[in-house]
Amino acid sequence: MLVDLDYFYAQIEERRNPSIRDKPVVVCVYSGRTEDSGVVSTANYIARRYGVRSGMPIVLAKKRLKDVESVFLPVDHDYYREISDRIMMILRGNADSFEQVGIDEAYLDVSQRTGGDFEKAAALAQLVKSEVRVQEGLTCSIGVGPNKVVAKIAADIRKPDGLTIVRPEEVKGFLSKLPVNRLIGVGKKTAERLEGLGVRTIGDLAGYDLQRLIECFGNSLGAYLHNASNGIDDEPVQERGEAESISRIATLKEDTLDLGVTTQTTDRLCQEVHERLVQRGLSFKSVGIVAVMKDLSIRTRSKTFEGPTDDLEVLRGTVKELFEKFLAESKVEARRVGVRISGLVKEKEAQKRLTRFF
DNA sequence: GTATGCTTTCGGC
DNA sequence: TTACGGCCGAAAGCATAC
């Protein structure tokens, strides 16, 4: 089953201050550039009725809500993380195996403890919803199905506070009428390309020739589209380890092509990334930079070392070098700049021995 | 031909 | 009319090694 916590950030804010429950609540990421620059992270369902959506500029959300008393709040990520961690413990306790996806979603494999009986699984889903509601005062929506793809789509059918069960014999009928964009991995771009092939629903996709799909979308996505649309998915529910990369990005006060200006910001970002690296006792092998340009296009550059290091000055220096090269050849100004490290390894001791040797 | 590793882009939340 | 975050993993595309 897939458990999805409803409009998570905004619901937490409603719980923290119940007096806002009957108003539109919009949780925002303020970029700090101007008073209201930034985007909507999550909105409650009242705000959604006015057309407010995740990823929408805050200014636009305010426009949609100009005639109604509403509440705009900044994200409080550490607080949401605490609550998420507690809820994930509850969920984990109800699963044979468990896989958290993001801060507000998790897959629970319950086939062992239910013996594959969907009636038992439905009862377990009700129990999970009630535990989350009683212990944390929050609602969630759950989808139950024979695999992850079906469970995920099922969870989206009825929300908030929904529960949708799709038994194996119901899968085909359940999927066939839904639009292709309900499948994970099918965003705007893939949906448009499919539309061009005359494929609008998952049923259309299920009946489409596999070889043609592979020609159009490559081996991986082609095979996935074919299998998923037919309700076939063997992906195991698997515990996810720690993140494989650490990154920070920030919006500049003004768009620029000046290395001195970007370095002021990236030096700080390097320090924060490095702090998280040290906390986890790791070293990194690759350094990447990302720039979001004035026109919102995204550019990245990266460099990989021969061996791992945990040196902040190496990180700062590499980031500066990468930006120096990048900015020199760039025509548009940068709006946001970021730093990412990857190739993370637990190799502090081995590395120290090596550097001493040379 | 196949495996592996690196750089960049895409897209989910 | 425009407006615009901050993460993360997956995979495409390419080069090189075997």
Side-chain angles (χ1 to χ4, degrees), chain A residues 248-253 259-272 319 323 336-339:
Chain A
R248 283 283 283 118
I249 183 168
T251 303
L252 298 166
K253 200 70 190 168
L259 180 64
V261 173
T262 59
T263 303
Q264 278 189 28
T265 297
T266 55
D267 272 357
R268 256 192 306 109
L269 299 179
C270 285
Q271 196 182 324
E272 291 174 25
V319 166
F323 266 108
R336 301 161 62 202
V337 291
V339 174

Side-chain angles (χ1 to χ4, degrees), chain A residues 110-283:
Chain A
V110 297
S111 33
Q112 300 283 328
R113 63 186 63 202
T114 60
D117 179 337
F118 276 69
E119 305 318 308
K120 283 184 183 157
L124 181 56
Q126 287 289 6
L127 176 72
V128 166
K129 282 167 68 74
S130 125
E131 284 185 10
V132 172
R133 189 180 57 246
V134 170
Q135 294 179 39
E136 290 297 334
L138 295 176
T139 65
C140 58
S141 296
I142 299 185
V144 177
N147 56 51
K148 294 208 287 189
V149 162
V150 174
K152 169 77 179 167
I153 298 173
D156 272 333
I157 293 297
R158 203 183 142 198
K159 49 175 34 180
D161 205 10
L163 172 57
T164 303
I165 318 284
V166 180
R167 294 161 186 83
E169 64 272 21
E170 300 166 336
V171 167
K172 199 168 179 208
F174 168 73
L175 292 177
S176 63
K177 288 166 295 262
L178 297 172
V180 287
N181 63 12
R182 293 290 193 113
L183 288 170
I184 10 167
V186 180
K188 189 162 174 259
K189 260 181 135 168
T190 307
E192 275 170 13
R193 288 172 64 194
L194 284 168
E195 179 93 55
L197 301 175
V199 173
R200 194 187 61 78
T201 65
I202 297 178
D204 297 338
L205 187 54
Y208 205 83
D209 182 66
L210 171 60
Q211 291 313 316
R212 295 253 177 287
L213 282 179
I214 288 175
E215 279 166 31
C216 287
F217 298 97
N219 239 309
S220 172
L221 184 56
Y224 166 76
L225 291 172
H226 177 77
N227 286 325
S229 61
N230 282 285
I232 297 164
D233 172 27
D234 303 324
E235 288 305 308
V237 173
Q238 234 175 350
E239 193 79 42
R240 295 199 186 183
E242 301 265 313
E244 289 164 20
S245 68
I246 302 174
S247 66
R248 283 283 283 118
I249 183 168
T251 303
L252 298 166
K253 200 70 190 168
E254 281 166 354
D255 300 346
T256 189
L257 276 173
D258 185 320
L259 180 64
V261 173
T262 59
T263 303
Q264 278 189 28
T265 297
T266 55
D267 272 357
R268 256 192 306 109
L269 299 179
C270 285
Q271 196 182 324
E272 291 174 25
V273 162
H274 185 258
E275 225 161 85
R276 288 164 59 190
L277 179 80
V278 171
Q279 250 169 20
R280 287 174 54 184
L282 299 174
S283 295

Side-chain angles (χ1 to χ4, degrees), chain A residues 50 69 123 222 253 289:
Chain A
Y50 290 88
E69 190 193 342
K253 200 70 190 168
I289 61 163

Side-chain angles (χ1 to χ4, degrees), chain A residues 6 15 22 39 42 54 64 82 88 109 114 123 125 133 155 166 196 199 214 224 228 249-250 252 260 271 281 351:
Chain A
D6 297 322
R15 189 191 79 166
D22 55 350
V39 298
T42 320
S54 293
R64 301 260 164 107
E82 261 180 51
M88 292 301 160
D109 187 336
T114 60
R133 189 180 57 246
V166 180
V199 173
I214 288 175
Y224 166 76
I249 183 168
L252 298 166
Q271 196 182 324
Q351 175 61 14

Side-chain angles (χ1 to χ4, degrees), chain A residues 28-99:
Chain A
C28 303
V29 183
Y30 291 96
S31 73
R33 166 170 286 210
T34 61
E35 169 93 6
D36 280 335
S37 72
V39 298
V40 172
S41 180
T42 320
N44 69 356
Y45 279 77
I46 302 177
R48 291 182 197 190
R49 282 213 298 272
Y50 290 88
V52 175
R53 296 286 179 273
S54 293
M56 172 182 278
I58 296 164
V59 178
L60 181 51
K62 291 213 162 166
K63 200 169 191 173
R64 301 260 164 107
L65 291 169
K66 64 179 178 335
D67 297 329
V68 37
E69 190 193 342
S70 45
V71 180
F72 284 76
L73 297 168
V75 288
D76 186 353
H77 204 266
D78 292 347
Y79 184 55
Y80 310 148
R81 173 61 61 184
E82 261 180 51
I83 293 165
S84 167
D85 286 349
R86 292 205 301 264
I87 294 173
M88 292 301 160
M89 299 249 295
I90 297 174
L91 302 184
R92 199 184 300 265
N94 283 290
D96 309 324
S97 52
F98 178 80
E99 178 176 351

